[in-house]
Amino acid sequence: MNNQFVILTGSKNNAGDFLIKYRAKKLFESIRPYRDIIDFNAWETIDNKKLEVINQSKCLILMGGPALQKNMYPGVYKLPKNLDEIKVPITTMGIGWKSPRGNWKDTFQYPLSITTMKLLDRIKADGLKGSVRDFHTLNTLENKGYDNFLMTGCPAYYDLENIEKEMQFPREIDKIAFSLGVSFVENNSMERQIKTQILSLKERFKEKLFEVVFHHSLDKQLFMQTYGSKHRHNYRHNEFADWLIKQKINYIDISGSAENLINYYSNVDLHIGYRVHAHIFMNSVKKLSLLISEDGRAKGSKSVINGMVVDGYVDTRENFIFKILNKLKFPIDRVISNKYSNPEIHKMLSYEFETKGHRSFQSSVLLKENLVIMKLFLASLP
């Protein structure tokens, strides 16, 4: 058996997914330096050649992202039909739920398929601790009978060079980045909300450098190669970019790599927006960030590090009729936007400036506490 871990990762185009893998490898390098890391794409089938590599490893680690979905297996992780073909222990690292509504009560009735439960049963039987990225995911699994997980946070939270540094409130805020989410693609009310927020923040910071950040590619051909030609992001993101041009608002595409995300946000003083991993990165390097939630992933992050978080929506329409109408591309919103989000954003920013980082300092402390659990998890691996 080789001294290696095999990890299955989901980074295709979204900059945040690349950051998960990048930071996870840094954690392994620091805490488990005698283990080599073999990285396979989670969405690709495990053929005989890959299976041989896995079975020569210490364990198989299902890595990061909102992987705890109804059809986690085989929908997210293309593992063999017969899980017994995998001869080494299976575990998870930093996986999270994907709940549209995202409320705590939803953790008690979260749907999982029979095959997904079969995979979770196998993980529990193998005897290793698993790792999840928030307490909502932890409670979801515990309510299904899986008590073998630790809440470590997402691997992307941990910049080992900055983790022990104290949060320093900036003397000046010169560059502000607004990260664009994905809820506007299917929901016109969210699109209107986001545009209102951008125009309002542009006016507030009119003497500063303000720009909108796309974490998914604006290159239509590249996006189609990654996600398929029928994906609505193909044109909705580009339509949004056209609107920004008309409003004379700067924007940038940072998709495709962790380095793009790191290099960009390292030069930002304040992040505001919908991208969870922009929020995670900014907190990891002790910078100011305000996250606007558009699903359960964002709401889950608030339970992990507190910080500045504003609800972008108040509820979702989850009954069968709305799901069918959505699939038929009928123009009806499944997300009910928070009409108070824009004033909440401004009030939260004003309070943070007045207190020189009250909520941000709390996040800095919690990151260090959560790293203790991440190290415990990594040390428990074979």
Side-chain angles (χ1 to χ4, degrees), residues 207-270:
E207 304 300 326
K208 310 292 183 180
L209 175 56
F210 176 88
E211 59 188 358
V212 174
V213 191
F214 290 82
H215 283 223
H216 285 290
S217 179
L218 290 172
D219 184 319
K220 293 181 181 179
Q221 185 174 357
L222 178 61
F223 197 97
M224 285 190 291
Q225 288 173 352
T226 305
Y227 295 104
S229 59
K230 294 182 180 180
H231 208 294
R232 290 191 72 191
H233 286 67
N234 284 339
Y235 61 90
R236 292 289 278 147
H237 277 71
N238 289 88
E239 286 179 349
F240 206 100
D242 291 340
W243 176 81
L244 291 170
I245 291 171
K246 291 178 182 177
Q247 301 299 321
K248 298 181 180 179
I249 296 173
N250 296 330
Y251 68 85
I252 185 170
D253 175 350
I254 64 165
S255 63
S257 75
E259 287 77 11
N260 287 349
L261 187 152
I262 292 168
N263 292 337
Y264 178 77
Y265 284 109
S266 292
N267 293 303
V268 168
D269 300 306
L270 168 63

Side-chain angles (χ1 to χ4, degrees), residues 184 187-197 333 337:
F184 77 92
N187 300 279
N188 292 332
S189 64
M190 292 299 290
E191 180 181 6
R192 292 191 296 271
Q193 171 181 279
I194 293 167
K195 287 179 176 179
T196 297
Q197 292 163 355
D333 286 4
S337 63

Side-chain angles (χ1 to χ4, degrees), residues 88-125:
V88 298
I90 307 172
T91 188
T92 66
M93 183 173 176
I95 65 168
W97 73 335
K98 190 179 182 182
S99 167
R101 187 176 285 114
N103 295 326
W104 185 257
K105 66 180 182 180
D106 297 319
T107 65
F108 295 92
Q109 47 189 349
Y110 189 71
L112 295 174
S113 69
I114 293 174
T115 52
T116 295
M117 299 279 279
K118 181 180 178 181
L119 172 60
L120 293 170
D121 288 341
R122 165 63 190 272
I123 291 171
K124 184 174 183 178

Side-chain angles (χ1 to χ4, degrees), residues 6 10 54 89 127 133 143 153 173 185 249 264 327:
V6 173
I54 291 170
R133 73 181 186 183
N143 285 318
I173 295 176
V185 172
I249 296 173
Y264 178 77
K327 286 186 177 181

Side-chain angles (χ1 to χ4, degrees), residues 65-165:
L68 187 68
Q69 302 179 27
K70 182 178 181 180
N71 193 27
M72 176 181 177
Y73 164 64
V76 177
Y77 298 110
K78 307 296 183 183
L79 301 176
K81 186 174 182 179
N82 181 7
L83 289 175
D84 290 339
E85 292 181 12
I86 299 175
K87 306 300 182 183
V88 298
I90 307 172
T91 188
T92 66
M93 183 173 176
I95 65 168
W97 73 335
K98 190 179 182 182
S99 167
R101 187 176 285 114
N103 295 326
W104 185 257
K105 66 180 182 180
D106 297 319
T107 65
F108 295 92
Q109 47 189 349
Y110 189 71
L112 295 174
S113 69
I114 293 174
T115 52
T116 295
M117 299 279 279
K118 181 180 178 181
L119 172 60
L120 293 170
D121 288 341
R122 165 63 190 272
I123 291 171
K124 184 174 183 178
D126 282 343
L128 298 182
K129 282 292 185 183
S131 151
V132 298
R133 73 181 186 183
D134 56 53
F135 288 108
H136 288 71
T137 306
L138 183 70
N139 202 50
T140 295
L141 287 165
E142 288 180 341
N143 285 318
K144 298 290 185 182
Y146 303 107
D147 57 359
N148 52 305
F149 290 86
L150 297 172
M151 201 303 289
T152 63
C154 177
Y157 277 116
Y158 305 113
D159 181 343
L160 298 178
E161 293 181 2
N162 284 286
I163 192 73
E164 295 298 332
K165 293 180 181 178

Side-chain angles (χ1 to χ4, degrees), residues 282-294:
M282 290 293 281
N283 277 281
S284 76
V285 295
K286 312 300 174 74
K287 290 191 171 189
L288 298 174
S289 177
L290 188 155
L291 179 64
I292 310 167
S293 67
E294 62 179 359

